[in-house]
Each structure stands twice: as C-alpha cells, then as structure tokens.
Amino acid sequence: MKSKLPHHLPLTLGAAIRSRRKDLRLSQEGLGFRSRLHRTYVADLERGARNPSLMSIAKVAKALNVSLSDLFTNIQAEDADLDAVDFKSSGCHSSMMRHGHVSTQTNDKSET
C-alpha cells in the first residue's frame, strides 16, 4: 500500500512556485531552463500534479532566488496530516528506526 500525503500539499507548493515565477516575470519555460527541469514538469508542479523530490524543489527554489522554507511558508505543520500516512506499510518507519530517527521508547513523566 502506497502512502499518500494530503492532496492539498502539492497544490499549495505549486501555487507558491507559480506566484514567485510570475513575480519574476518568468515563463514556465524560463523557470525550467533556470532550474534544469523540463517545462512540462514545471507546469505539473504548479498544478500540483507532481510529488517532487527535495532535490527538484531545491532546484526550483534556487532558480526563483528563494529559500526552500520560503516555498513552504503557506503550509502549516497541522496541514501535513501525518496520521493519514501509513509509514509502516511504506517502509519509512523501519528505515527511520534503523537510522535512529524514531524512538521505540515512550516518555512516561509519571516516574519520579
């Protein structure tokens, strides 16, 4: 079973990319050239039709002269409904545990 993030996250990212591109008066082709991504890929990003890699987002951010965080300013932590993501079936959970990113211990504050 594939894990899916909420559908509005790519849409929100795409809107931020489109807004900044238009502020710079760049065409999709121009942004594609600057970011070394194909014009149709840029169009797909803006429509929220792609789930881009961090590397692709970084290329776009650099081409738009903004930081990665600037592209995500309209995405709040609560928007990323991680309860809807099935990490165990996607393999993320076990991979994160192997690399020490997930604790298997609970913090019981009742102990004194």
Side-chain angles (χ1 to χ4, degrees):
M1 180 172 160
K2 274 183 120 175
S3 64
K4 291 185 179 184
L5 289 174
H7 71 280
H8 66 279
L9 295 178
L11 293 172
T12 305
L13 176 62
I17 292 169
R18 179 182 294 117
S19 175
R20 179 62 180 159
R21 176 181 61 78
K22 288 186 173 190
D23 287 346
L24 294 174
R25 298 185 177 173
L26 275 175
S27 65
Q28 289 176 339
E29 188 171 3
L31 178 56
F33 179 78
R34 280 186 172 192
S35 62
R36 297 183 180 197
L37 298 170
H38 196 274
R39 174 193 55 80
T40 59
Y41 187 81
V42 171
D44 286 348
L45 286 177
E46 290 185 357
R47 288 186 299 110
R50 294 281 185 149
N51 189 9
S53 68
L54 184 56
M55 187 60 78
S56 292
I57 298 169
K59 287 178 181 182
V60 170
K62 184 176 180 181
L64 294 173
N65 299 317
V66 295
S67 68
L68 282 169
S69 61
D70 287 340
L71 290 178
F72 292 97
T73 55
N74 291 327
I75 299 174
Q76 300 299 320
E78 59 269 12
D79 287 342
D81 182 10
L82 296 180
D83 291 335
V85 179
D86 185 358
F87 287 106
K88 288 183 181 179
S89 68
S90 68
C92 293
H93 186 262
S94 60
S95 173
M96 291 173 72
M97 286 185 67
R98 277 195 306 275
H99 298 311
H101 299 296
V102 175
S103 173
T104 57
Q105 299 176 354
T106 58
N107 292 330
D108 187 358
K109 294 184 180 184
S110 63
E111 292 181 24
T112 54

